[in-house]
Amino acid sequence: MSRLDESLVPLAARLVARAGTAMTWRRTGPAAYDPAGGAVSSAEVETAVTGVIEEVETGHADGLVRRGDRIVTLAAGPLAGEPEPGDALVIAGAEHRVLSLTTTWAGDRPALFRLHVRR
């Protein structure tokens, strides 16, 4: 990893923190088996994050975009883990499901995640 790569990850985090909106990243934690009750349960894990929200045009080339879909950019540096399809972002009290994501890399480390989300 070069010096430039090392500086891009914190730079991305600072820019998203400065221009972003507070939201909550919600994902289902690992499943746990209770041998006494015989039930499998999992808890939701919530993390406060900051993301930049973009509205998506419905005339998007792949035809998989609906009115109200958004692209949310999260800095990878502050996150513990990587978002996945099925996770949720709670934005202004409304839950949006992650449909897909793309990763922007700085060398061998992720710098940004761009999430396609739908309410």
Side-chain angles (χ1 to χ4, degrees):
M1 177 181 285
S2 72
R3 288 173 95 62
L4 178 62
D5 295 338
E6 291 173 7
S7 64
L8 287 177
V9 173
L11 175 64
R14 283 193 307 275
L15 291 173
V16 169
R18 187 176 303 152
T21 301
M23 57 189 73
T24 302
W25 172 30
R26 184 181 293 158
R27 73 179 334 167
T28 303
Y33 176 70
D34 177 13
V40 176
S41 63
S42 59
E44 287 189 336
V45 178
E46 293 188 350
T47 306
V49 296
T50 301
V52 177
I53 304 167
E54 302 171 52
E55 298 296 328
V56 180
E57 294 182 30
T58 55
H60 199 266
D62 62 11
L64 298 176
V65 176
R66 293 185 190 162
R67 182 168 306 187
D69 284 4
R70 295 177 170 173
I71 299 293
V72 177
T73 302
L74 301 176
L79 297 181
E82 182 174 318
E84 298 176 354
D87 289 353
L89 287 177
V90 180
I91 305 168
E95 185 174 276
H96 296 74
R97 285 283 164 199
V98 176
L99 301 176
S100 63
L101 72 119
T102 57
T103 305
T104 301
W105 295 85
D108 60 352
R109 292 176 42 194
L112 295 170
F113 298 114
R114 290 180 44 89
L115 312 174
H116 177 185
V117 299
R118 179 173 295 153
R119 191 167 174 188

